[in-house]
Amino acid sequence: QVQLQESGPGVVKPSETLSLTCTVSGDTIGNYYWSWIRQPPERGLEWIGYVSYSGSTNYNPSLKSRLTISSDISSDTSRKQFSLELSSVTAADTAVYFCARTAYCGGDCHRIDSWGQGSLVTVSS
Amino acid sequence: EIVMTQSPATLSVSPGERATLSCRASQSISSSLAWYQQKPGQAPRLLIYDASTRATGIPARFSGSGSGTEFTLTISSLQSEDFAVYYCQQFNDWRPLTFGGGTKVEIK
């Protein structure tokens, strides 16, 4: 069982950096990628990227030049968090940002099996 | 990038009836597909992965099928709590992972 909770500013000014943190409690041991997904108002889901237990990352190419995902998750720390930074934001980055746990496997059984509740970030001056 | 196309955009169904949702991939993704349900103001919830494996705690009225480029989510007898938006997601190509645009299942 795992729980995820996003935190960060609800409003960011255009051209500034959006920063969010996801705090994880529960099961962090296993084949997981710690992921971010966003959803603009009244629209569908967009995968942003992930960071692995070892710190390797995989980013959506459409955001890669502005994106940093980092992690502070390990089995021997009580603080388990991972973070998102998106620079040079515009109104198009206004969305609900979800942190999530992606389970991966050796075959086709990959899935996003746990989600945070989401955090609305509005880009506005 | 693999494009996922869901149809229809909106499906009007009466409670107790069957709902059939479609998801098509722009290229073969084997069985590397998941389905999610999202209700207003909530995060998505995993329903199906590996195209046909129900996630933990998901009722048997939800079933998934398909492989390659054509996939289906079937809800055998719609309950009131099933009216929501449903998304498919492919995991065959991770650069990037992509979702379908969603199908809204509404009360007829």
Side-chain angles (χ1 to χ4, degrees):
Chain A
Q1 189 78 329
V2 68
Q3 292 187 322
L4 303 99
Q5 177 66 59
E6 305 88 352
S7 59
V11 180
V12 180
K13 290 183 169 55
S15 79
E16 296 192 343
T17 296
L18 181 161
S19 297
L20 291 171
T21 296
C22 183
T23 300
V24 183
S25 57
D27 181 13
T28 60
I29 305 300
N31 294 335
Y32 301 125
Y33 295 138
W34 302 99
S35 309
W36 291 95
I37 298 99
R38 70 180 182 179
Q39 185 171 36
E42 305 302 319
R43 296 186 63 183
L45 300 165
E46 179 182 29
W47 178 78
I48 297 173
Y50 69 69
V51 60
S52 73
Y53 179 87
S54 65
S56 62
T57 55
N58 183 22
Y59 297 156
N60 191 320
S62 69
L63 299 170
K64 186 174 183 177
S65 64
R66 302 191 289 131
L67 185 61
T68 302
I69 299 175
S70 58
S71 167
D72 188 19
I73 292 178
S74 68
S75 61
D76 59 354
T77 63
S78 59
R79 174 176 139 141
K80 300 180 181 182
Q81 296 182 326
F82 63 104
S83 301
L84 165 75
E85 291 191 340
L86 184 65
S87 64
S88 305
V89 297
T90 69
D93 295 309
T94 293
V96 174
Y97 286 75
F98 296 99
C99 61
R101 186 179 79 175
T102 301
Y104 63 92
C105 65
D108 288 337
C109 58
H110 318 295
R111 67 269 189 198
I112 300 176
D113 64 356
S114 299
W115 298 70
Q117 66 183 29
S119 178
L120 174 62
V121 179
T122 302
V123 178
S124 174
S125 55
Chain B
E1 164 174 332
I2 296 177
V3 177
M4 306 300 293
T5 302
Q6 292 187 241
S7 62
T10 303
L11 186 62
S12 298
V13 185
S14 299
E17 290 188 341
R18 174 187 294 260
T20 302
L21 289 67
S22 295
C23 176
R24 174 176 292 177
S26 60
Q27 63 190 72
S28 178
I29 60 169
S30 183
S31 296
S32 204
L33 183 102
W35 289 94
Y36 305 90
Q37 175 194 69
Q38 187 179 32
K39 297 179 180 179
Q42 297 184 16
R45 175 176 71 142
L46 176 67
L47 297 176
I48 301 284
Y49 63 94
D50 197 9
S52 61
T53 302
R54 271 191 304 277
T56 302
I58 300 304
R61 65 180 181 272
F62 291 92
S63 63
S65 63
S67 66
T69 62
E70 301 284 343
F71 300 86
T72 300
L73 175 69
T74 301
I75 311 171
S76 60
S77 177
L78 270 161
Q79 306 298 302
S80 58
E81 62 267 29
D82 301 336
F83 292 96
V85 180
Y86 294 82
Y87 293 95
C88 60
Q89 181 192 18
Q90 65 82 20
F91 283 90
N92 188 72
D93 179 2
W94 289 65
R95 291 181 184 271
L97 296 177
T98 47
F99 292 90
T103 291
K104 181 179 181 180
V105 177
E106 64 177 24
I107 300 174
K108 186 174 182 180

